[in-house]
Amino acid sequence: MKLEVRGLVKIFPAPPFSGGAPLRALAGASLEAGTGVTGVGGANGSGKTTLFKTLAGVLEADGGEIRAGGEPADSARLRELAAYCPPNPRSFYFRLSAAENLRFFGALAGLTAAQALDRALHLADRLKLSRPDLERRFDRLSEGTMQKVSLIRAFSRRPPILLLDEPFHGLDGLACTGLLELIAEVSRATTVLLTSHSRELMASAAHRSLRLDAGRIAGERA
């Protein structure tokens, strides 16, 4: 699915009584991406996570336009089309097991409990996540295992747009290899955007790369 972004703006107001100025996290970012993998690089604070959250419909843009498949896409539409893997696990229920979390979020995405479990088990094997870890409480998992569960949640939806924000964070070598293989497979029919602090992993995963600088796309290399 073709994703078109034109002049995207996102401004965060200064905290009340802080005396500070609003933060313009996105300052007119524009990009196009289609089927395949597009890497989005940039320094910390350049706006990458804000861009991904806006494309996922988690944040509402303050300006600009997003089109998906040639049609305007508001936040509600983006939430239907895009699966987002964030760079941290705070969106999970820490007192539930990994499997219970995946069944819950699967249900929100329209999956039956059986479908969610079947997809979770398949993806767990690919990412080297053990069956016992799937049954453990989320807050008792290691950081790397939490990341695997987050990836499973995103890939399980089989969306037309997949947004992976630092997906290799905390993963060991075998899991990174499995993730690269998964990304290559789904990218044949999916628009994938990803960020990574590892240039090597970014180059291995993405066929093209953009750079975000101060809330704008600074350049492209292919």
Side-chain angles (χ1 to χ4, degrees):
M1 174 174 284
K2 187 174 183 180
L3 183 64
E4 301 169 271
V5 179
R6 295 285 180 267
L8 203 63
V9 174
K10 181 61 188 177
I11 301 171
F12 294 104
F17 312 114
S18 69
L23 172 65
R24 186 177 289 265
L26 295 176
S30 298
L31 64 87
E32 291 187 6
T35 302
V37 185
T38 298
V40 181
N44 290 339
S46 61
K48 300 187 300 296
T49 293
T50 300
L51 173 64
F52 276 38
K53 284 185 174 182
T54 306
L55 295 179
V58 176
L59 295 177
E60 192 84 35
D62 295 308
E65 182 184 28
I66 302 172
R67 299 178 71 87
E71 299 291 334
D74 61 11
S75 295
R77 179 61 174 153
L78 290 169
R79 287 193 292 272
E80 294 176 358
L81 296 174
Y84 173 53
C85 181
N88 60 68
R90 287 180 294 183
S91 59
F92 285 91
Y93 293 95
F94 276 50
R95 293 187 180 184
L96 297 181
S97 71
E100 288 169 334
N101 268 286
L102 292 170
R103 286 196 294 270
F104 171 77
F105 287 107
L108 294 181
L111 301 179
T112 66
Q115 286 175 322
L117 179 60
D118 182 65
R119 294 183 187 185
L121 291 174
H122 170 71
L123 291 165
D125 287 341
R126 301 293 300 276
L127 294 171
K128 311 305 178 187
L129 174 62
S130 71
R131 304 296 171 89
D133 275 339
L134 276 174
E135 299 304 325
R136 287 196 176 93
R137 265 179 48 151
F138 195 82
D139 59 0
R140 294 175 182 170
L141 300 176
S142 68
E143 183 180 30
T145 303
M146 288 180 177
Q147 180 69 357
K148 293 176 184 180
V149 177
S150 187
L151 288 163
I152 289 171
R153 178 176 63 178
F155 276 88
S156 289
R157 284 186 55 187
R158 299 179 180 174
I161 300 171
L162 182 59
L163 306 167
L164 304 175
D165 194 356
E166 294 295 336
F168 301 101
H169 178 71
L171 300 186
D172 57 32
L174 287 175
C176 283
T177 298
L179 177 56
L180 285 170
E181 292 172 350
L182 278 173
I183 292 171
E185 290 172 14
V186 302
S187 67
R188 297 168 190 157
T190 305
T191 298
V192 182
L193 271 67
L194 70 86
T195 72
S196 177
H197 286 301
S198 169
R199 292 185 179 181
E200 180 180 355
L201 290 170
M202 176 87 85
S204 296
H207 73 277
R208 63 190 285 257
S209 182
L210 307 172
R211 184 170 181 81
L212 199 61
D213 184 21
R216 289 178 177 267
I217 298 297
E220 176 178 1
R221 63 181 186 275

